[in-house]
Amino acid sequence: MVAESTAHSPLLGVGESAPGPVLPLKALPVSAEDRGATTIPAEVVAKIASQAASEVAHIGAAAGGVLGVGSRRRLTARPDAECELYNRSAVLRLEVGSDFPVPLVEVMTDLRDHVTRRVESLTGIEVGRMDVEVSWLNPVDRTRRALR
């Protein structure tokens, strides 16, 4: 059985039904080129890179303070990230801190690989270059050797 429309319309009187069945609208197939473009700003790519960097073990950032004064080193904070876009390629700059002693070459390799994978999978933009500045090291062992 097909439902009849009983909706009120300026063309129908009160209580009148529209003639014929009410059919759902179907979208016409549209090619990808005709659907429009999706633009992802560089600031969004930088935030994604920052979040991805914070997901890597032994990586953190300075947080709090005013103009860098009074900031605290925290491994739970998201690192600073900047991005420049050139067509479908991103140039990223990250400023991070790290635990120490850890194998820094391995940690930075993990950082680069993880951020590249996440940015490319979430945005479809290729990471063409990534500069990483390690601005501080956080000593894991805070005990000092006794002076002799």
Side-chain angles (χ1 to χ4, degrees):
M1 178 176 192
V2 177
E4 297 268 335
S5 172
T6 58
H8 296 286
S9 166
L11 301 177
L12 299 174
V14 176
E16 290 184 37
S17 298
V22 176
L23 300 175
L25 294 176
K26 291 185 180 180
L28 297 175
V30 179
S31 68
E33 296 82 29
D34 294 334
R35 284 184 275 188
T38 300
T39 304
I40 302 173
E43 295 82 13
V44 171
V45 177
K47 284 196 182 235
I48 291 170
S50 175
Q51 177 61 38
S54 72
E55 297 166 358
V56 176
H58 306 293
I59 296 295
V66 177
L67 299 174
V69 176
S71 62
R72 303 269 188 247
R73 298 173 177 177
R74 292 188 12 212
L75 292 173
T76 57
R78 286 194 321 201
D80 291 334
E82 295 176 4
C83 176
E84 294 178 22
L85 292 176
Y86 300 95
N87 293 326
R88 303 288 302 161
S89 182
V91 174
L92 299 174
R93 183 186 166 281
L94 299 172
E95 182 180 345
V96 302
S98 178
D99 275 336
F100 189 81
V102 294
L104 287 175
V105 172
E106 282 182 33
V107 172
M108 294 306 129
T109 299
D110 291 347
L111 172 68
R112 288 175 185 275
D113 291 345
H114 184 72
V115 171
T116 298
R117 267 193 320 275
R118 297 285 285 159
V119 167
E120 289 179 353
S121 70
L122 292 172
T123 65
I125 295 172
E126 175 188 355
V127 176
R129 177 179 171 154
M130 183 184 319
D131 296 326
V132 179
E133 177 184 337
V134 180
S135 59
W136 54 268
L137 297 173
N138 185 40
V140 175
D141 183 11
R142 295 195 180 269
T143 60
R144 294 187 178 190
R145 295 183 184 187
L147 295 175
R148 293 183 191 203

PDB file of all heavy atoms in Angstrom, residues 50-76:
ATOM      1  N   SER A  50      50.196  18.626  15.816  1.00  0.00           N
ATOM      2  CA  SER A  50      50.465  18.808  17.238  1.00  0.00           C
ATOM      3  C   SER A  50      49.848  17.685  18.069  1.00  0.00           C
ATOM      4  O   SER A  50      50.493  17.115  18.954  1.00  0.00           O
ATOM      5  CB  SER A  50      49.917  20.163  17.697  1.00  0.00           C
ATOM      6  OG  SER A  50      50.065  20.317  19.086  1.00  0.00           O
ATOM      7  N   GLN A  51      48.600  17.361  17.775  1.00  0.00           N
ATOM      8  CA  GLN A  51      47.928  16.275  18.494  1.00  0.00           C
ATOM      9  C   GLN A  51      48.633  14.944  18.237  1.00  0.00           C
ATOM     10  O   GLN A  51      48.849  14.154  19.156  1.00  0.00           O
ATOM     11  CB  GLN A  51      46.459  16.181  18.090  1.00  0.00           C
ATOM     12  CG  GLN A  51      45.714  15.030  18.745  1.00  0.00           C
ATOM     13  CD  GLN A  51      45.688  15.110  20.263  1.00  0.00           C
ATOM     14  OE1 GLN A  51      45.558  16.188  20.833  1.00  0.00           O
ATOM     15  NE2 GLN A  51      45.828  13.969  20.917  1.00  0.00           N
ATOM     16  N   ALA A  52      48.998  14.691  17.001  1.00  0.00           N
ATOM     17  CA  ALA A  52      49.686  13.442  16.658  1.00  0.00           C
ATOM     18  C   ALA A  52      51.026  13.349  17.387  1.00  0.00           C
ATOM     19  O   ALA A  52      51.395  12.282  17.884  1.00  0.00           O
ATOM     20  CB  ALA A  52      49.881  13.347  15.149  1.00  0.00           C
ATOM     21  N   ALA A  53      51.741  14.463  17.482  1.00  0.00           N
ATOM     22  CA  ALA A  53      53.027  14.465  18.187  1.00  0.00           C
ATOM     23  C   ALA A  53      52.844  14.145  19.666  1.00  0.00           C
ATOM     24  O   ALA A  53      53.662  13.452  20.271  1.00  0.00           O
ATOM     25  CB  ALA A  53      53.722  15.816  18.011  1.00  0.00           C
ATOM     26  N   SER A  54      51.754  14.622  20.244  1.00  0.00           N
ATOM     27  CA  SER A  54      51.520  14.370  21.674  1.00  0.00           C
ATOM     28  C   SER A  54      51.185  12.910  21.954  1.00  0.00           C
ATOM     29  O   SER A  54      51.246  12.472  23.097  1.00  0.00           O
ATOM     30  CB  SER A  54      50.399  15.273  22.202  1.00  0.00           C
ATOM     31  OG  SER A  54      49.147  14.852  21.712  1.00  0.00           O
ATOM     32  N   GLU A  55      50.855  12.148  20.920  1.00  0.00           N
ATOM     33  CA  GLU A  55      50.530  10.731  21.076  1.00  0.00           C
ATOM     34  C   GLU A  55      51.772   9.842  21.120  1.00  0.00           C
ATOM     35  O   GLU A  55      51.669   8.657  21.392  1.00  0.00           O
ATOM     36  CB  GLU A  55      49.619  10.281  19.921  1.00  0.00           C
ATOM     37  CG  GLU A  55      48.284  10.990  19.896  1.00  0.00           C
ATOM     38  CD  GLU A  55      47.524  10.802  18.599  1.00  0.00           C
ATOM     39  OE1 GLU A  55      48.050  10.141  17.670  1.00  0.00           O
ATOM     40  OE2 GLU A  55      46.394  11.332  18.497  1.00  0.00           O
ATOM     41  N   VAL A  56      52.948  10.425  20.873  1.00  0.00           N
ATOM     42  CA  VAL A  56      54.196   9.658  20.833  1.00  0.00           C
ATOM     43  C   VAL A  56      54.814   9.630  22.229  1.00  0.00           C
ATOM     44  O   VAL A  56      54.874  10.660  22.918  1.00  0.00           O
ATOM     45  CB  VAL A  56      55.171  10.280  19.805  1.00  0.00           C
ATOM     46  CG1 VAL A  56      56.506   9.558  19.804  1.00  0.00           C
ATOM     47  CG2 VAL A  56      54.555  10.276  18.422  1.00  0.00           C
ATOM     48  N   ALA A  57      55.289   8.455  22.634  1.00  0.00           N
ATOM     49  CA  ALA A  57      55.914   8.304  23.953  1.00  0.00           C
ATOM     50  C   ALA A  57      57.163   9.175  24.070  1.00  0.00           C
ATOM     51  O   ALA A  57      57.908   9.342  23.102  1.00  0.00           O
ATOM     52  CB  ALA A  57      56.287   6.836  24.176  1.00  0.00           C
ATOM     53  N   HIS A  58      57.372   9.733  25.251  1.00  0.00           N
ATOM     54  CA  HIS A  58      58.542  10.548  25.606  1.00  0.00           C
ATOM     55  C   HIS A  58      58.535  11.933  24.968  1.00  0.00           C
ATOM     56  O   HIS A  58      59.546  12.618  25.015  1.00  0.00           O
ATOM     57  CB  HIS A  58      59.857   9.837  25.253  1.00  0.00           C
ATOM     58  CG  HIS A  58      59.980   8.473  25.831  1.00  0.00           C
ATOM     59  ND1 HIS A  58      60.099   8.255  27.181  1.00  0.00           N
ATOM     60  CD2 HIS A  58      59.974   7.258  25.245  1.00  0.00           C
ATOM     61  CE1 HIS A  58      60.176   6.953  27.400  1.00  0.00           C
ATOM     62  NE2 HIS A  58      60.091   6.325  26.245  1.00  0.00           N
ATOM     63  N   ILE A  59      57.415  12.362  24.370  1.00  0.00           N
ATOM     64  CA  ILE A  59      57.339  13.676  23.726  1.00  0.00           C
ATOM     65  C   ILE A  59      56.360  14.555  24.489  1.00  0.00           C
ATOM     66  O   ILE A  59      55.290  14.114  24.882  1.00  0.00           O
ATOM     67  CB  ILE A  59      56.893  13.554  22.254  1.00  0.00           C
ATOM     68  CG1 ILE A  59      57.920  12.795  21.439  1.00  0.00           C
ATOM     69  CG2 ILE A  59      56.622  14.911  21.626  1.00  0.00           C
ATOM     70  CD1 ILE A  59      59.267  13.491  21.318  1.00  0.00           C
ATOM     71  N   GLY A  60      56.733  15.814  24.712  1.00  0.00           N
ATOM     72  CA  GLY A  60      55.859  16.758  25.397  1.00  0.00           C
ATOM     73  C   GLY A  60      56.132  18.165  24.918  1.00  0.00           C
ATOM     74  O   GLY A  60      56.739  18.377  23.874  1.00  0.00           O
ATOM     75  N   ALA A  61      55.678  19.130  25.721  1.00  0.00           N
ATOM     76  CA  ALA A  61      55.829  20.538  25.345  1.00  0.00           C
ATOM     77  C   ALA A  61      55.853  21.401  26.589  1.00  0.00           C
ATOM     78  O   ALA A  61      55.494  20.960  27.677  1.00  0.00           O
ATOM     79  CB  ALA A  61      54.676  20.960  24.442  1.00  0.00           C
ATOM     80  N   ALA A  62      56.266  22.627  26.410  1.00  0.00           N
ATOM     81  CA  ALA A  62      56.172  23.609  27.481  1.00  0.00           C
ATOM     82  C   ALA A  62      54.742  24.126  27.505  1.00  0.00           C
ATOM     83  O   ALA A  62      54.135  24.339  26.457  1.00  0.00           O
ATOM     84  CB  ALA A  62      57.152  24.744  27.245  1.00  0.00           C
ATOM     85  N   ALA A  63      54.189  24.276  28.703  1.00  0.00           N
ATOM     86  CA  ALA A  63      52.796  24.722  28.815  1.00  0.00           C
ATOM     87  C   ALA A  63      52.685  25.775  29.898  1.00  0.00           C
ATOM     88  O   ALA A  63      53.421  25.765  30.874  1.00  0.00           O
ATOM     89  CB  ALA A  63      51.889  23.542  29.136  1.00  0.00           C
ATOM     90  N   GLY A  64      51.725  26.678  29.726  1.00  0.00           N
ATOM     91  CA  GLY A  64      51.474  27.716  30.714  1.00  0.00           C
ATOM     92  C   GLY A  64      52.439  28.879  30.553  1.00  0.00           C
ATOM     93  O   GLY A  64      53.219  28.959  29.619  1.00  0.00           O
ATOM     94  N   GLY A  65      52.387  29.779  31.505  1.00  0.00           N
ATOM     95  CA  GLY A  65      53.260  30.938  31.474  1.00  0.00           C
ATOM     96  C   GLY A  65      52.763  32.005  30.511  1.00  0.00           C
ATOM     97  O   GLY A  65      51.782  31.831  29.794  1.00  0.00           O
ATOM     98  N   VAL A  66      53.454  33.127  30.520  1.00  0.00           N
ATOM     99  CA  VAL A  66      53.141  34.242  29.639  1.00  0.00           C
ATOM    100  C   VAL A  66      54.389  34.553  28.834  1.00  0.00           C
ATOM    101  O   VAL A  66      55.449  34.818  29.403  1.00  0.00           O
ATOM    102  CB  VAL A  66      52.700  35.488  30.442  1.00  0.00           C
ATOM    103  CG1 VAL A  66      52.453  36.663  29.513  1.00  0.00           C
ATOM    104  CG2 VAL A  66      51.477  35.172  31.259  1.00  0.00           C
ATOM    105  N   LEU A  67      54.263  34.475  27.512  1.00  0.00           N
ATOM    106  CA  LEU A  67      55.387  34.710  26.605  1.00  0.00           C
ATOM    107  C   LEU A  67      56.590  33.840  26.963  1.00  0.00           C
ATOM    108  O   LEU A  67      57.737  34.264  26.902  1.00  0.00           O
ATOM    109  CB  LEU A  67      55.774  36.187  26.605  1.00  0.00           C
ATOM    110  CG  LEU A  67      54.692  37.156  26.141  1.00  0.00           C
ATOM    111  CD1 LEU A  67      55.147  38.596  26.314  1.00  0.00           C
ATOM    112  CD2 LEU A  67      54.316  36.893  24.698  1.00  0.00           C
ATOM    113  N   GLY A  68      56.329  32.622  27.393  1.00  0.00           N
ATOM    114  CA  GLY A  68      57.393  31.683  27.713  1.00  0.00           C
ATOM    115  C   GLY A  68      57.917  31.791  29.131  1.00  0.00           C
ATOM    116  O   GLY A  68      58.661  30.935  29.588  1.00  0.00           O
ATOM    117  N   VAL A  69      57.549  32.863  29.843  1.00  0.00           N
ATOM    118  CA  VAL A  69      58.023  33.040  31.217  1.00  0.00           C
ATOM    119  C   VAL A  69      57.077  32.288  32.153  1.00  0.00           C
ATOM    120  O   VAL A  69      55.862  32.485  32.109  1.00  0.00           O
ATOM    121  CB  VAL A  69      58.074  34.539  31.600  1.00  0.00           C
ATOM    122  CG1 VAL A  69      58.480  34.707  33.057  1.00  0.00           C
ATOM    123  CG2 VAL A  69      59.009  35.276  30.677  1.00  0.00           C
ATOM    124  N   GLY A  70      57.630  31.422  32.963  1.00  0.00           N
ATOM    125  CA  GLY A  70      56.819  30.668  33.907  1.00  0.00           C
ATOM    126  C   GLY A  70      56.213  29.410  33.327  1.00  0.00           C
ATOM    127  O   GLY A  70      55.405  28.752  33.963  1.00  0.00           O
ATOM    128  N   SER A  71      56.605  29.049  32.103  1.00  0.00           N
ATOM    129  CA  SER A  71      56.040  27.844  31.501  1.00  0.00           C
ATOM    130  C   SER A  71      56.648  26.608  32.150  1.00  0.00           C
ATOM    131  O   SER A  71      57.768  26.628  32.647  1.00  0.00           O
ATOM    132  CB  SER A  71      56.271  27.834  29.996  1.00  0.00           C
ATOM    133  OG  SER A  71      57.647  27.816  29.702  1.00  0.00           O
ATOM    134  N   ARG A  72      55.893  25.554  32.154  1.00  0.00           N
ATOM    135  CA  ARG A  72      56.301  24.282  32.751  1.00  0.00           C
ATOM    136  C   ARG A  72      56.511  23.261  31.647  1.00  0.00           C
ATOM    137  O   ARG A  72      55.762  23.233  30.671  1.00  0.00           O
ATOM    138  CB  ARG A  72      55.226  23.762  33.705  1.00  0.00           C
ATOM    139  CG  ARG A  72      54.876  24.721  34.802  1.00  0.00           C
ATOM    140  CD  ARG A  72      55.758  24.444  36.016  1.00  0.00           C
ATOM    141  NE  ARG A  72      55.310  25.240  37.136  1.00  0.00           N
ATOM    142  CZ  ARG A  72      56.032  26.213  37.660  1.00  0.00           C
ATOM    143  NH1 ARG A  72      57.192  26.517  37.155  1.00  0.00           N
ATOM    144  NH2 ARG A  72      55.586  26.890  38.701  1.00  0.00           N
ATOM    145  N   ARG A  73      57.487  22.407  31.846  1.00  0.00           N
ATOM    146  CA  ARG A  73      57.736  21.314  30.912  1.00  0.00           C
ATOM    147  C   ARG A  73      56.805  20.172  31.271  1.00  0.00           C
ATOM    148  O   ARG A  73      56.858  19.653  32.380  1.00  0.00           O
ATOM    149  CB  ARG A  73      59.182  20.871  31.000  1.00  0.00           C
ATOM    150  CG  ARG A  73      60.132  21.967  30.617  1.00  0.00           C
ATOM    151  CD  ARG A  73      61.546  21.547  30.884  1.00  0.00           C
ATOM    152  NE  ARG A  73      62.456  22.589  30.448  1.00  0.00           N
ATOM    153  CZ  ARG A  73      63.756  22.547  30.586  1.00  0.00           C
ATOM    154  NH1 ARG A  73      64.321  21.487  31.155  1.00  0.00           N
ATOM    155  NH2 ARG A  73      64.506  23.526  30.160  1.00  0.00           N
ATOM    156  N   ARG A  74      55.940  19.804  30.328  1.00  0.00           N
ATOM    157  CA  ARG A  74      54.968  18.739  30.599  1.00  0.00           C
ATOM    158  C   ARG A  74      54.928  17.761  29.437  1.00  0.00           C
ATOM    159  O   ARG A  74      54.777  18.176  28.294  1.00  0.00           O
ATOM    160  CB  ARG A  74      53.576  19.330  30.816  1.00  0.00           C
ATOM    161  CG  ARG A  74      53.467  20.145  32.072  1.00  0.00           C
ATOM    162  CD  ARG A  74      52.060  20.576  32.399  1.00  0.00           C
ATOM    163  NE  ARG A  74      51.039  19.925  31.618  1.00  0.00           N
ATOM    164  CZ  ARG A  74      49.901  20.497  31.265  1.00  0.00           C
ATOM    165  NH1 ARG A  74      49.648  21.721  31.623  1.00  0.00           N
ATOM    166  NH2 ARG A  74      48.998  19.837  30.561  1.00  0.00           N
ATOM    167  N   LEU A  75      55.040  16.497  29.762  1.00  0.00           N
ATOM    168  CA  LEU A  75      54.947  15.477  28.719  1.00  0.00           C
ATOM    169  C   LEU A  75      53.508  15.226  28.307  1.00  0.00           C
ATOM    170  O   LEU A  75      53.255  14.530  27.337  1.00  0.00           O
ATOM    171  CB  LEU A  75      55.614  14.184  29.179  1.00  0.00           C
ATOM    172  CG  LEU A  75      57.135  14.295  29.316  1.00  0.00           C
ATOM    173  CD1 LEU A  75      57.709  13.038  29.934  1.00  0.00           C
ATOM    174  CD2 LEU A  75      57.776  14.560  27.969  1.00  0.00           C
ATOM    175  N   THR A  76      52.545  15.808  29.023  1.00  0.00           N
ATOM    176  CA  THR A  76      51.136  15.637  28.668  1.00  0.00           C
ATOM    177  C   THR A  76      50.627  16.782  27.794  1.00  0.00           C
ATOM    178  O   THR A  76      49.496  16.731  27.321  1.00  0.00           O
ATOM    179  CB  THR A  76      50.268  15.551  29.931  1.00  0.00           C
ATOM    180  OG1 THR A  76      50.477  16.730  30.718  1.00  0.00           O
ATOM    181  CG2 THR A  76      50.619  14.317  30.752  1.00  0.00           C
TER     182      THR A  76
END
